[in-house]
Amino acid sequence: MKRWLSMIEPAVLSMAGLRLLSAAIELSAALLMLLFNDVKKAVAVNAFLAIVGPLIFITTMTIGLLSLTDELSFSKLFFIVIGVGFILFAIYK
């Protein structure tokens, strides 16, 4: 197992780990909603997820972009940052 993990690029491993953490949080939130069995509490749990989701997204994108900085030109990075900005703008508006 250690040999397999050592062959994976650290940035990819970090990004996948964050996505697994996000999935665990989402699953826990769904179970909490079922456990509480109350719409008000379910909305509160869902509001928490609205904060966690974009944070995981931003962190994952940052890790990926930082690992690509020597391979991409400044203009390509600029367009990627603008695209991520548009996604975040669409989420919050």
Side-chain angles (χ1 to χ4, degrees):
M1 182 79 167
K2 284 186 178 182
R3 182 180 168 137
W4 180 73
L5 286 177
S6 66
M7 294 187 320
I8 297 176
E9 183 157 348
V12 173
L13 191 59
S14 299
M15 293 170 72
L18 281 171
R19 285 295 167 190
L20 287 172
L21 174 67
S22 176
I25 292 171
E26 294 272 347
L27 184 60
S28 299
L31 292 173
L32 281 174
M33 287 179 188
L34 291 172
L35 180 69
F36 291 147
N37 195 24
D38 182 28
V39 175
K40 289 180 183 179
K41 291 179 182 178
V43 169
V45 170
N46 200 46
F48 171 74
L49 289 178
I51 295 169
V52 171
L55 287 176
I56 297 288
F57 171 71
I58 292 169
T59 307
T60 305
M61 285 297 293
T62 303
I63 292 169
L65 289 176
L66 287 176
S67 66
L68 290 175
T69 51
D70 20 335
E71 297 176 23
L72 296 175
S73 66
F74 179 73
S75 62
K76 287 182 181 179
L77 282 174
F78 178 72
F79 284 121
I80 291 172
V81 169
I82 287 176
V84 171
F86 282 147
I87 291 170
L88 292 174
F89 179 77
I91 289 172
Y92 288 114
K93 293 294 174 177

